[in-house]
Amino acid sequence: MPYTVLARKYRSQTFDDVIGQDPIAQTLKNAIKTGRVAHAYLFSGTRGVGKTTMARVLAKALNCLAVDEPTTEPCCKCDSCVAVNVGEDIDVIEIDGASNNRVGEIRELRENAIYRPARSRFKIYIIDEVHMLTVSAFNALLKTLEEPPSHIKFIFATTEPNKVIATIQSRCQRFDFSNIGPAEIAKQLKTILKKEKIKSEEDLVLMLAKMANGSMRDGLSLLDRLISAGVEPLTVRLLEEFLGQPNSEKIWDLIGRIGDSEAAGTLAAIEALLSAGISEVQIVDSLIEYMRDLMVVKSTSSDSELVILTAQQRQRAGELAEKFDVAALVYSISTLEKLRWSIKNSDTSRALLEASLLRFALSEHFLNVDVLLSQLGQGGGGTGKKKAPGAVKPPVSSDQRTHKSTVPAVENRPVDRSPASCDIQLIKGRWQGILSLVSAKLGPGTGSLLGCAEPSRFENGTLVLEFDASDKGKADICASNGRREQVEVLLSEEFSTPIRVKFEVAGGSQTKAESKAEQQKTGTQRRNELLNDPAVKTVLMGLDATITGVEENQ
């Protein structure tokens, strides 16, 4: 007897069997129960999420011969149901839109549609990859789709609904199939392995579920490949041997070396992965996935349902997460994503990978600009202290500062701080003192920026600070990178009442002419403006450094 692949052998037979698409299945069942089945449906979604399967289930439900009317529970045993399952029913015509996309073929379909079904209630056309039809073919289908005979039903399936012309979509009921979660895929894989009487490790099932990327069919295809290896029980080691996946322990080890700031260890861990035949792109992809898990664990807990890990992996992730802060992980993930595309197009991909990961590992030797300004303002050296052990800081300026930063409590002062006494006049009268406090607590850089603003008004707990039009850039800097929140905390403590801060520019936004002139500034002009910035001057003097390049973040 010929072998049937798992994706076909375990294809869902009823609405309740379809994995991960419960809302769509329930909607179609209700439509059948109430007699409100549309004449045309458009099923969209990524590959392997159940579009064609749902179309076949709907066809069986409408044409099941075991009952006298459409049913939500087809018998799957009558001639019609059995024929639909194998794609051979004379009244359920499945068409591949990729190979039957010409106008002549659609005209033939339209001519045959007028004939009633041979034995069933409806003649059902299932057109897969319908977006592959030409515009002429779509137009040939329009009239029949708009006013079809009562015995005709159309079910279209596509992975790219944006390519289906609007006039077709407007004549269909559209259902968007979502990606299937790793937990649901893992559950189905375990069920199938049990039915097939094949032993496997739990770690393997979870890894396969994550590799499936939301596609049940992809998950079953990967499982088929492992079973074909003829090794039992199925272990995680097989993923490395037969599917070319990086060893998870080696990835964890690499992340641990980065977290411990071990430059030599980081290079050795990279070498171990490359020697195993893992490409640089695969290493980057794995690091992004694993660091994402650490980010979630660090932000929530190791027991979070947002990560799909075994108990042992959760424990390991919790231990490694202590070596990082959230801001460092966010920075690392975004940098790795950019690195991924650079590596693909580079002839020196290994050097790029090693340089980037060494940058992560040595990030404790980089200093946050606000910390540097504060130390320089206190007469400290430009090198500064290293970060606390195990807390990896991004090797860039203040835009990677962790959101957990807090403002120390301000000493008591013999002034009235009751909420009722806080008004714009009080704030204006104490503004210079507040600027000194900001410089002391948040760094001279932030104090210098706020020094360009004036308290404008205080309404409903919101303090409006107004900048001149020429200082619009400084206003933007104040409103970004967490500075606004820090100033709000400081002011709220200073006046013993919650205060929100809003930054405005005098005269409103720039005119079109000014905006265009700003956009046309040369690189030299932008460089000169940067060199004249007081905060930048302070940093350059403290480090005895020079600017070698200017990069703008959009």
Side-chain angles (χ1 to χ4, degrees):
M1 184 176 180
Y3 177 69
T4 304
V5 297
L6 298 178
R8 293 182 58 198
K9 184 177 180 180
Y10 291 97
R11 174 171 254 167
S12 302
Q13 300 297 313
T14 65
F15 288 115
D16 295 333
D17 293 340
V18 180
I19 306 295
Q21 309 299 342
D22 294 341
I24 297 175
Q26 187 60 48
T27 301
L28 293 175
K29 288 167 66 175
N30 290 339
I32 293 173
K33 289 178 182 178
T34 58
R36 302 179 68 87
V37 179
H39 65 274
Y41 290 96
L42 176 62
F43 293 165
S44 67
T46 190
R47 66 190 186 283
V49 294
K51 301 185 298 296
T52 306
T53 296
M54 188 74 81
R56 287 188 174 185
V57 171
L58 179 58
K60 289 188 292 185
L62 294 177
N63 283 347
C64 181
L65 300 177
V67 291
D68 297 330
E69 59 184 9
T71 176
T72 59
E73 298 178 358
C75 69
C76 299
K77 296 179 181 179
C78 67
D79 292 343
S80 176
C81 290
V82 173
V84 170
N85 279 338
V86 297
E88 297 177 354
D89 190 75
I90 58 176
D91 293 324
V92 179
I93 302 97
E94 294 192 29
I95 300 173
D96 177 23
S99 56
N100 298 275
N101 58 357
R102 293 173 297 180
V103 64
E105 291 155 338
I106 298 301
R107 283 174 179 166
E108 182 180 352
L109 178 154
R110 187 181 61 186
E111 292 169 359
N112 293 332
I114 62 175
Y115 300 110
R116 298 194 62 83
R119 64 178 178 184
S120 306
R121 301 181 191 90
F122 301 101
K123 179 178 285 188
I124 301 173
Y125 287 94
I126 301 175
I127 303 181
D128 199 11
E129 299 302 333
V130 70
H131 66 272
M132 298 293 287
L133 296 184
T134 64
V135 175
S136 299
F138 274 130
N139 290 331
L141 190 59
L142 279 177
K143 189 62 177 177
T144 302
L145 194 61
E146 185 174 20
E147 298 178 359
S150 59
H151 59 272
I152 292 292
K153 301 292 181 184
F154 289 99
I155 305 176
F156 304 131
T158 178
T159 55
E160 300 183 52
N162 56 298
K163 292 185 178 180
V164 180
I165 63 176
T167 48
I168 291 290
Q169 293 200 38
S170 66
R171 290 166 170 81
C172 303
Q173 283 193 14
R174 175 173 167 175
F175 290 95
D176 293 318
F177 285 61
S178 59
N179 287 355
I180 305 173
E184 292 179 297
I185 294 178
K187 182 179 179 181
Q188 180 70 357
L189 294 180
K190 288 180 182 178
T191 301
I192 291 174
L193 286 170
K194 186 176 181 180
K195 291 181 179 179
E196 294 289 320
K197 299 180 179 178
I198 298 175
K199 297 180 180 179
S200 66
E201 295 179 350
E202 182 182 4
D203 291 13
L204 169 78
V205 175
L206 290 177
M207 290 289 288
L208 284 177
K210 295 170 79 172
M211 290 170 60
N213 289 324
S215 170
M216 179 60 72
R217 185 171 64 235
D218 285 3
L220 293 176
S221 297
L222 291 171
L223 181 59
D224 245 332
R225 288 173 60 184
L226 290 182
I227 294 175
S228 299
V231 180
E232 193 174 343
L234 301 179
T235 63
V236 174
R237 182 175 57 84
L238 298 178
L239 295 177
E240 185 177 2
E241 293 182 5
F242 295 99
L243 299 183
Q245 289 298 304
N247 183 285
S248 60
E249 281 302 316
K250 292 181 179 179
I251 296 294
W252 286 125
D253 179 61
L254 173 56
I255 295 175
R257 301 285 186 178
I258 294 173
D260 290 332
S261 300
E262 296 181 13
T266 298
L267 293 176
I270 295 173
E271 172 63 25
L273 285 165
L274 293 175
S275 299
I278 307 302
S279 69
E280 289 85 354
V281 173
Q282 285 180 300
I283 294 175
V284 171
D285 288 340
S286 297
L287 285 174
I288 291 175
E289 179 183 347
Y290 283 59
M291 284 189 169
R292 179 264 172 190
D293 289 341
L294 293 184
M295 179 181 65
V296 174
V297 168
K298 186 71 175 178
S299 301
T300 56
S301 70
S302 58
D303 298 328
S304 173
E305 296 181 357
L306 297 176
V307 291
I308 307 299
L309 300 171
T310 63
Q312 183 179 358
Q313 290 173 334
R314 288 179 183 274
Q315 181 180 357
R316 183 72 180 275
E319 294 171 356
L320 287 177
E322 294 302 318
K323 300 176 184 290
F324 300 86
D325 60 27
V326 175
L329 291 169
V330 171
Y331 166 78
S332 299
I333 292 172
S334 60
T335 302
L336 286 169
E337 179 59 28
K338 296 177 183 177
L339 177 66
R340 184 178 187 274
W341 299 107
S342 299
I343 284 179
K344 279 188 172 183
N345 302 312
S346 174
D347 294 330
T348 57
S349 55
R350 176 167 182 166
L352 278 177
L353 176 64
E354 290 176 335
S356 297
L357 297 190
L358 276 181
R359 191 182 188 195
F360 295 163
L362 299 176
S363 60
E364 70 170 24
H365 301 289
F366 294 84
L367 195 60
N368 184 292
V369 169
D370 276 353
V371 175
L372 177 61
L373 289 172
S374 177
Q375 292 182 1
L376 292 175
Q378 297 169 7
T383 55
K385 295 194 302 181
K386 293 171 69 174
K387 63 178 176 57
V392 177
K393 294 292 182 184
V396 289
S397 60
S398 59
D399 57 335
Q400 272 76 46
R401 182 167 59 258
T402 176
H403 69 278
K404 293 184 179 180
S405 299
T406 56
V407 178
V410 181
E411 65 274 14
N412 293 325
R413 290 182 171 82
V415 296
D416 183 8
R417 294 184 178 181
S418 62
S421 65
C422 183
D423 55 25
I424 189 60
Q425 297 302 325
L426 175 63
I427 295 174
K428 285 183 176 181
R430 297 178 53 191
W431 185 239
Q432 293 303 317
I434 292 173
L435 291 178
S436 300
L437 186 64
V438 169
S439 297
K441 300 300 182 182
L442 303 183
T446 302
S448 175
L449 291 170
L450 282 183
C452 299
E454 289 291 338
S456 174
R457 58 186 183 278
F458 183 71
E459 300 171 347
N460 300 323
T462 299
L463 172 62
V464 178
L465 299 179
E466 188 175 275
F467 289 79
D468 289 338
S470 60
D471 292 327
K472 183 178 184 298
K474 296 180 180 179
D476 293 337
I477 295 175
C478 286
S480 62
N481 304 329
R483 283 191 176 88
R484 182 205 304 271
E485 290 76 10
Q486 290 184 324
V487 173
E488 289 176 344
V489 172
L490 189 147
L491 291 176
S492 298
E493 293 184 359
E494 178 69 7
F495 292 99
S496 298
T497 184
I499 294 179
R500 307 249 343 200
V501 175
K502 181 179 179 181
F503 300 109
E504 289 186 355
V505 178
S509 58
Q510 291 177 307
T511 65
K512 290 184 179 180
E514 292 172 331
S515 179
K516 184 176 181 181
E518 182 71 20
Q519 294 173 1
Q520 292 176 344
K521 281 185 178 179
T522 65
T524 302
Q525 289 173 311
R526 293 183 183 277
R527 182 187 180 92
N528 290 337
E529 287 182 358
L530 182 62
L531 288 172
N532 291 325
D533 186 275
V536 174
K537 284 183 176 180
T538 305
V539 173
L540 294 179
M541 292 175 61
L543 296 178
D544 190 20
T546 58
I547 293 179
T548 60
V550 178
E551 180 180 341
E552 294 189 25
N553 291 325
Q554 299 300 327

